[in-house]
Amino acid sequence: MLATAAAAIALIFLQQAPAEDIDWDAEFGVEERERDPATGEFPVDPYEKSNANAGAEPFANGRLAAAFGGREGIRRIAERTVELSEADPRIAEIFVAHDTVRLKRTLSEQFCYLLGAGCDYTGRDMRATHDGLGIRTADLNALVENLQQAMREAGVPFAAQNRLLSKLAPMSGDVVER
Amino acid sequence: MRTPCVATGLMLAILSAQPAHADDLEWFEGGKLVLTNGVTTIEGTSGGGIATWATIAGLEMDNGVGVSGHATIIELPDYGWQSHGVAVGIANRVELSYARQNFDTRDVGTALGLGEGYVLNQDIFAAKLRLLGDVVYGDPLLPQVSLGVEYKRSLDGDVAAAVGAARAEGLDYTLSATKLFLSRSVLVNATARLTEANQNGLLGFGSAAGAGHSLQFEGSLGYQLSRRAVIGAEVRTKPDNLGLGEDDWFDLFAAYAVTDNITVTAAYVDLGSIATFEDQRGAFLSAQVAF
Ligand code: HEM
């Protein structure tokens, strides 16, 4: 026993140091991800783009969108929600190593589409996107609170805030995993 | 090969570094949205002021344990009500609660031959199980549904017997459905209660003449003014097992979450006739602390 262990330890120390110029990423098949110089986003695997991916039907008229400050206001609220969540100790870890540049864009498209402000949603569907993130209902509540804060800061009336939430809340089944 | 060993190890560590949620239960971590734990009813269960809801007490979600404590006073023309209690919520699934009710008969005590300021007391031990659904999430038309049982024990069995009640203790069964309709900012609750309690049990249970359990209804309608404020109305039907003209109850309430942990509720309540003293309308004030 002791001899084997000693031999193993000796072996470890006897090993040659690797050459300096080995590309370990290539060696282990790690693909280099590069941000698109124009959009600043990482590429994602191909998927079929459709407004159906947004997960709900939009409000029929654009009146609600006005309460959110139009497209520009909606974009700011979506971006602020992502920023608050990245800085929120309760859920920050879930966003680490994910492309929040893209998330800000697609989340803003989703809100804009659902609020009837005339955008198309170009992101992936809710189930596929959140698959494997290990999101719990408590995490969803944290995100909702951050969205509420972003809407409050933007001066969106509470009843209008709830109108947007009424589109998102039924998606919980696709987002929450445990 | 040493360097790649370390590198692979690091990579594996990073890849396997899941969002670091403990899988075991968290204690008093919070996690519920403000007000979605409801306030505390006069029976110590979570709900509105007089109607039990399908909500689970405490601020925990499916991975935690939460608690709440409350105290309530009701000031009526001829009576004074005081109650207090504690509740535990487990995994947003099970609620266990205890409440003590103290009902001061003041001058009526003399009139009823009990003695000036005689206080009727009752203990209520309750359990509630969330069967399905969620108040906020999921199918917008599928409410959160919970089943509850309340064991009530009047500590004034002599008085209960004197007014014609059959027993000093009894069981209530509740089936509640509660949903927040976000698109309208409206919360709706409907509860069916099987009960034989006279004035909640303070005057005992059933009647010596044979009246037993009957099906009663509790309804609440709330409007969310903000994340922290809700106003609404409630109704609760009651049996009249003793033939004393026991009335249904109504209230108009306003609840405000002063902080994420503290909620105060003020209400105007109409408790009708109590022990033949009519028009018991007054003020309801309750404070709840939850974690
Ligand atoms: C109903 C609630 C939610 C909605 C409507 C929603 C919406 C979205 C959208 C539109 C995307 C972008 C999809 C794309 O770019 O193709 C996304 C991605 C993402 N969401 Fe959510 N989300 C919800 C809940 C949550 C929660 C609770 C968390 C974590 C606390 C979360 C974390 C993420 C992360 C990390 C990504 C990036 C995934 C990736 O890079 O592949 N989401 N979400």
Side-chain angles (χ1 to χ4, degrees):
Chain A
M1 263 301 274
L2 216 66
T4 339
I9 291 169
L11 252 171
I12 289 171
F13 283 101
L14 279 173
Q15 283 179 16
Q16 258 186 322
E20 292 290 309
D21 55 358
I22 291 180
D23 180 350
W24 289 111
D25 281 352
E27 210 78 358
F28 284 90
V30 176
E31 268 180 61
E32 188 94 12
R33 289 207 310 167
E34 255 179 65
R35 291 192 183 271
D36 182 302
T39 62
E41 295 178 13
F42 287 120
V44 299
D45 290 338
Y47 60 93
E48 201 173 322
K49 290 195 174 115
S50 156
N51 277 332
N53 288 349
E57 289 298 315
F59 286 105
N61 65 54
R63 243 181 313 153
L64 196 55
F68 284 76
R71 284 193 187 193
E72 191 50 29
I74 293 169
R75 186 180 60 74
R76 271 199 301 273
I77 289 167
E79 292 187 359
R80 179 79 177 129
T81 304
V82 174
E83 278 159 16
L84 287 168
S85 298
E86 282 179 292
D88 183 340
R90 296 173 296 179
I91 52 174
E93 283 167 281
I94 303 177
F95 291 88
V96 169
H98 288 283
D99 184 358
T100 51
V101 175
R102 174 189 163 91
L103 176 56
K104 282 177 184 168
R105 174 177 63 83
T106 46
L107 190 65
S108 134
E109 284 175 4
Q110 187 190 35
F111 290 178
C112 178
Y113 169 73
L114 294 176
L115 290 168
C119 304
D120 283 314
Y121 176 66
T122 66
R124 294 158 292 185
D125 72 82
M126 291 305 102
R127 184 172 287 276
T129 308
H130 298 93
D131 187 37
L133 293 180
I135 295 171
R136 306 165 308 173
T137 313
D139 304 321
L140 179 52
N141 283 348
L143 185 85
V144 166
E145 285 180 1
N146 295 336
L147 171 56
Q148 285 178 320
Q149 183 181 333
M151 293 190 289
R152 203 162 54 239
E153 286 173 1
V156 179
F158 187 72
Q161 295 184 18
N162 271 352
R163 300 279 281 168
L164 175 58
L165 292 182
S166 77
K167 290 287 184 192
L168 307 180
M171 300 177 196
S172 59
D174 284 342
V175 169
V176 174
E177 287 183 272
R178 45 190 192 129
Chain B
M1 278 296 277
R2 226 165 17 177
T3 327
C5 267
V6 176
T8 336
L10 261 177
M11 251 165 56
L12 280 176
I14 292 166
L15 286 175
S16 62
Q18 293 219 338
H21 300 308
D23 274 325
D24 42 341
L25 284 186
E26 290 167 357
W27 294 79
F28 319 137
E29 274 282 306
K32 276 202 184 103
L33 292 171
V34 167
L35 288 180
T36 59
N37 55 328
V39 297
T40 311
T41 67
I42 49 159
E43 276 139 336
T45 55
S46 73
I50 59 172
T52 287
W53 294 353
T55 47
I56 299 295
L59 292 179
E60 87 297 342
M61 287 309 294
D62 28 15
N63 56 319
V65 177
V67 286
S68 73
H70 83 284
T72 299
I73 52 170
I74 308 176
E75 198 50 40
L76 298 168
D78 296 305
Y79 303 103
W81 170 294
Q82 191 280 332
S83 58
H84 54 268
V86 290
V88 180
I90 302 162
N92 196 29
R93 173 66 66 185
V94 175
E95 173 184 298
L96 302 172
S97 61
Y98 164 75
R100 158 57 76 87
Q101 300 175 338
N102 306 303
F103 188 74
D104 187 342
T105 60
R106 296 186 179 162
D107 292 346
V108 173
T110 322
L112 295 178
L114 297 169
E116 167 81 27
Y118 187 90
V119 180
L120 296 165
N121 309 100
Q122 180 172 230
D123 285 323
I124 300 176
F125 299 88
K128 198 188 324 181
L129 175 70
R130 179 169 66 83
L131 298 178
L132 55 98
D134 188 286
V135 180
V136 182
Y137 298 118
D139 187 327
L141 294 177
L142 180 73
Q144 176 162 328
V145 178
S146 295
L147 192 66
V149 56
E150 296 167 9
Y151 167 67
K152 301 177 165 185
R153 187 177 64 193
S154 157
L155 305 183
D156 299 278
D158 300 349
V159 178
V163 294
R167 285 167 288 281
E169 52 184 24
L171 289 171
D172 279 13
Y173 306 92
T174 57
L175 184 66
S176 309
T178 312
K179 191 76 183 180
L180 174 59
F181 295 96
L182 282 163
S183 61
R184 299 274 167 261
S185 298
V186 167
L187 183 135
V188 180
N189 174 76
T191 297
R193 179 186 295 267
L194 210 51
T195 181
E196 55 173 352
N198 308 317
Q199 292 297 1
N200 217 264
L202 286 163
L203 294 181
F205 300 81
S207 79
H213 279 91
S214 61
L215 190 62
Q216 305 294 328
F217 172 79
E218 283 157 41
S220 315
L221 210 59
Y223 181 77
Q224 240 192 327
L225 292 170
S226 78
R227 215 166 71 82
R228 300 193 173 279
V230 56
I231 52 170
E234 296 187 295
V235 57
R236 174 168 178 167
T237 69
K238 297 182 27 267
D240 185 19
N241 299 330
L242 301 176
L244 293 174
E246 189 170 337
D247 283 322
D248 297 343
W249 287 352
F250 300 94
D251 76 37
L252 296 171
F253 70 91
Y256 187 77
V258 186
T259 72
D260 288 357
N261 303 104
I262 298 173
T263 312
V264 289
T265 309
Y268 164 80
V269 291
D270 181 349
L271 305 187
S273 166
I274 299 180
T276 72
F277 283 72
E278 310 274 326
D279 300 331
Q280 299 301 318
R281 304 190 187 101
F284 169 114
L285 205 64
S286 182
Q288 172 183 280
V289 184
F291 294 94

